[in-house]
Amino acid sequence: MIKIAPSIMCADFLNLGKDIKDLQDCGSYLFHIDVMDGNFVPNFSLNQDVVRTIKTIAKIPIEVHMMVENPEKYVESFAEAGASYIGFHLEASKSPIRTLKRIKELGLKAGIAINPATSEATIKYLLEYLDYIVVMTVEPGFAGQKFIPSVLQKIRVIKNMIKDANRQIEIIVDGNIDVINGKKCVKAGADILVGGTSSVFKKGQTIEKSFNAFIQTLENELNTSWNNISSKILDKSISF
Ligand code: DX5
Ligand code: ZN
C-alpha cells in the first residue's frame, strides 16, 4: 500500500474544508502540515491555528513538518493544537534527543527531517528516539521545486541503517514527488510520499482526479518493475 501525505500548504485555501474531505475520501494516510518561520527557511506557511482547524474534521493523523529555528519552543503548542506527528529539522536543533523525547512524552510520534545536503550519518545516534525520518528531496521552503536525485542513495542507506538497527522507523520523502520520483523513492525504501504540486494538487484538476491518477500510475509502474525483476529471477537472468 502506497501511503500518501498531502502537503496542505499546496491546498486551495478558498475551499480548504472541501479539500480536506476530498483528500480523506481518496485515502490519504497523513496530512502533512508545513510550518516555516522565515528564518530557517526564507518563507512562511502554516501554523497552530491551521492544525487546530483541520483537526475539527480530520479522520487521519496530522503530521507537522517544522522548518523553524529552535523547534523545541513550539512542540507543546502544536501538540495542543492537535498534531499526532511532529518532525523538526536536525539542522535547526542544538539538542535533538531532548526534543524527540519531549515529543514522545506528549504521546506523539517523533521525527527528524534532514536537508538534501545533510548526511545520513547525522542520524546514527538518533535511531532509538525516532518514529520516522523526513528525507527532504528538495531544499525546504517552497513547493514546486525540482527533485534532487542524489538523495536516492541516502534513502537506501537510511533504510539499511533502520534494518540493521532492527527499528520500526518510517521514511517520509518530501519535495517534487511525482510518479517517476515517487517510484524511485519507494524502490529506494521510502514508506510515505508527500503529495504536493507534482502529484495530488495538479493545476486545473480536481483532487480526486489528481490523487487517483497518481496512485494508479505509481502502482502500475511499481508492479511492472517488480514483475520485470521477478521474471528475471524466474528465468535465472538474475542470480543471488
Ligand atoms: C517544502 C515542503 C514540501 C512542499 C511539497 O519545503 O516541505 O512539503 O510543500 O510540495 P511539492 O511536492 O510541490 O514540492
Ligand atoms: Zn514538508
Side-chain angles (χ1 to χ4, degrees), residues 2-236:
I2 298 171
K3 299 173 183 173
I4 305 296
S7 176
I8 300 306
M9 75 179 258
C10 303
D12 171 4
F13 273 72
L14 289 175
N15 299 286
L16 186 58
K18 180 176 180 328
D19 277 12
I20 294 294
K21 288 192 181 78
D22 290 350
L23 289 165
Q24 285 182 150
D25 292 348
C26 288
S28 298
Y29 184 67
L30 297 171
F31 288 127
H32 182 83
I33 303 285
D34 289 308
V35 178
M36 302 176 187
D37 65 357
N39 198 346
F40 180 71
V41 291
N43 197 2
F44 295 88
S45 58
L46 311 177
N47 66 8
Q48 293 89 334
D49 292 338
V50 174
V51 171
R52 195 171 290 108
T53 303
I54 291 174
K55 184 70 179 176
T56 60
I57 58 170
K59 298 190 186 96
I60 59 175
I62 293 172
E63 177 244 333
V64 170
H65 174 197
M66 286 211 271
M67 291 163 271
V68 301
E69 293 295 353
N70 306 309
E72 65 282 356
K73 288 165 51 178
Y74 311 105
V75 166
E76 274 79 5
S77 61
F78 275 102
E80 179 276 327
S84 300
Y85 293 53
I86 295 182
F88 58 94
H89 273 264
L90 184 56
E91 303 89 353
S93 173
K94 297 181 185 64
S95 50
I97 293 174
R98 181 178 298 129
T99 305
L100 288 167
K101 286 169 112 175
R102 182 61 187 134
I103 293 167
K104 293 177 85 106
E105 277 167 14
L106 293 166
L108 280 66
K109 289 204 185 266
I112 277 283
I114 51 175
N115 286 338
T118 301
S119 164
E120 61 280 358
T122 58
I123 59 165
K124 182 179 173 192
Y125 300 107
L126 295 175
L127 293 179
E128 63 186 279
Y129 305 100
L130 288 174
D131 295 302
Y132 68 100
I133 298 165
V134 180
V135 180
M136 292 305 295
T137 46
V138 298
E139 285 283 47
F142 301 91
Q145 300 179 92
K146 277 285 160 245
F147 186 85
I148 297 172
S150 61
V151 178
L152 287 168
Q153 181 53 19
K154 187 193 305 186
I155 297 167
R156 293 185 196 101
V157 173
I158 289 175
K159 193 68 170 187
N160 288 332
M161 286 168 74
I162 293 168
K163 280 184 189 149
D164 293 349
N166 195 19
R167 293 272 167 193
Q168 300 300 317
I169 299 172
E170 292 191 293
I171 298 176
I172 299 180
V173 288
D174 185 6
N176 189 213
I177 304 299
D178 59 13
V179 169
I180 306 297
N181 297 331
K183 173 183 171 185
K184 290 175 185 169
C185 288
V186 169
K187 289 178 75 176
D191 301 290
I192 302 171
L193 308 178
V194 170
T197 59
S198 324
S199 54
V200 168
F201 298 100
K202 283 256 173 97
K203 276 209 178 325
Q205 283 187 18
T206 63
I207 283 176
E208 186 184 9
K209 185 168 179 343
S210 306
F211 194 107
N212 292 332
F214 177 56
I215 284 284
Q216 277 146 28
T217 315
L218 186 51
E219 278 172 348
N220 293 343
E221 286 281 328
L222 287 165
N223 289 338
T224 309
S225 158
W226 174 243
N227 292 341
N228 288 344
I229 293 172
S230 49
S231 57
K232 287 194 177 83
I233 293 168
L234 289 174
D235 64 26
K236 295 189 178 30

